[in-house]
Amino acid sequence: MEGKRVLVTGANSGLGAHFAELLAGNGAEVFVAARRLQALEKVADRIRDAGGIASCLELDVTKPDSRLSAVEAVGSVDVLVNNAGVVTQGSALKQSEADWNRVLDTNLKSMFFMAQAFAPSMKERGGAIVNVASILGLRQAGSVLPYAVSKAGVIQLTKSLALEWARYGIRVNALAPGYIETALNGEFWKTDEGAALVRRIPQRRLGQLSDLDGPMLLLASDASRYMTGAVLAVDGGHLVSSL
Ligand code: NAI
């Protein structure tokens, strides 16, 4: 990733913070972006302490003005990692319109407009967009309907953009993680419900952040130069679990 400028959204925690550190650790100059500057500073400090290059960017992906300011502040990037996402839990009968809008706006609509905002700068020398989807975009589970719909949309968005932007040398691929253990969901996996979920994964274990390293580096780097419109599942075999 030497010489590449990379922007990671939702980079102040979980997968996004990990991706930022991973890409910086592999030589990229990384812009860590999210709404909370204080949390971002901690991620950027960790990158710099490890000898990497990082800048913080206050960004709300759902706000057009904020996206515009991000483009003005950063200029061109070689790689955009569209990672910011939110989830809501609840039965379909009780789903509120406000939660539906928040999830679809953040996970799907903003992903498209972030790609649209940075694509012009990529057109000159090519680039890569990595959209973080989920296996819930390909299969379904109870109580996460808007999230699953948003991630299914991310997959179709990825394929449609791949088709339109191949002519500009912009590759668009999706990473579809299965259940990954993070600081935010760690406690859940210790419950009976969490343990039951893990038993349904063919590899019988949760994914760890480091399990995403190879796939992310593949999609973000020139190693995937002939890949576009691909959806890479990283899920311990969860998608092929027995019916
Ligand atoms: P997280 O809650 O730790 O990270 C989400 C990030 O998005 C946070 O940094 C948050 O500040 C940011 N964000 C939310 N709304 C934003 C907005 N309007 N503008 C800018 N940033 C915003 O959760 P996690 O688990 O790290 O999720 C990251 C991505 O990975 C999401 O897209 C999620 O759907 C996806 N994913 C996570 C899986 C998991 O098991 N943890 C599995 C499959 C996909």
Side-chain angles (χ1 to χ4, degrees), residues 9-16 33-36 59-62 82-86 106-107 111 132-135 147 151 176-182 184-185 189:
T9 70
N12 59 11
S13 63
L15 275 62
R35 291 163 302 179
R36 283 175 292 127
L59 167 71
D60 184 334
V61 294
T62 63
N82 262 327
N83 164 82
V86 291
T106 309
N107 298 7
M111 207 175 262
V132 180
S134 161
I135 55 169
Y147 181 82
K151 294 298 185 178
Y179 296 157
I180 307 295
E181 190 170 13
T182 66
L184 286 188
N185 64 25
W189 301 113

Side-chain angles (χ1 to χ4, degrees), residues 220-237:
S221 74
D222 296 341
S224 58
R225 59 191 166 271
Y226 199 52
M227 289 174 70
T228 195
V231 181
L232 206 52
V234 185
D235 67 346

Side-chain angles (χ1 to χ4, degrees), residues 7 36-37 50 56 59 67 73 78 92 126 129 134-135 137 143 157 168 176 225:
L7 171 64
R36 283 175 292 127
L37 214 46
C56 298
L59 167 71
R67 292 192 298 261
D78 302 289
I129 297 174
S134 161
I135 55 169
S143 303
L157 170 73
Y168 305 128
R225 59 191 166 271

Side-chain angles (χ1 to χ4, degrees), residues 4-189:
K4 303 265 189 211
R5 290 161 62 84
V6 179
L7 171 64
V8 182
T9 70
N12 59 11
S13 63
L15 275 62
H18 183 75
F19 293 146
E21 292 185 62
L22 169 75
L23 294 163
N26 281 271
E29 175 184 358
V30 177
F31 295 88
V32 288
R35 291 163 302 179
R36 283 175 292 127
L37 214 46
Q38 216 177 356
L40 283 173
E41 290 291 356
K42 288 188 189 145
V43 178
D45 283 347
R46 284 204 300 271
I47 291 174
R48 292 185 204 115
D49 288 349
I53 310 169
S55 311
C56 298
L57 188 67
E58 200 171 353
L59 167 71
D60 184 334
V61 294
T62 63
K63 301 234 158 60
D65 288 354
S66 184
R67 292 192 298 261
L68 192 65
S69 305
V71 176
E72 283 168 3
V74 174
S76 65
V77 293
D78 302 289
V79 180
L80 169 65
V81 179
N82 262 327
N83 164 82
V86 291
V87 64
T88 177
Q89 304 258 341
S91 74
L93 278 174
K94 293 189 178 145
Q95 190 60 58
S96 76
E97 192 165 341
D99 274 349
W100 169 276
N101 287 341
R102 189 170 65 88
V103 172
L104 270 291
D105 276 3
T106 309
N107 298 7
L108 180 57
K109 183 174 151 188
S110 303
M111 207 175 262
F112 169 60
F113 285 106
M114 278 298 294
Q116 193 196 52
F118 280 92
S121 74
M122 290 181 173
K123 273 170 75 177
E124 282 151 35
R125 50 181 180 172
I129 297 174
V130 183
N131 292 330
V132 180
S134 161
I135 55 169
L136 284 167
L138 295 158
R139 293 263 303 261
Q140 45 293 322
S143 303
V144 285
L145 185 147
Y147 181 82
V149 171
S150 74
K151 294 298 185 178
V154 166
I155 287 168
Q156 187 64 347
L157 170 73
T158 300
K159 293 178 181 181
S160 300
L161 289 181
L163 171 65
E164 279 209 33
W165 292 349
R167 74 198 68 176
Y168 305 128
I170 303 174
R171 300 181 300 101
V172 190
N173 292 294
L175 184 68
Y179 296 157
I180 307 295
E181 190 170 13
T182 66
L184 286 188
N185 64 25
E187 286 306 309
F188 171 74
W189 301 113

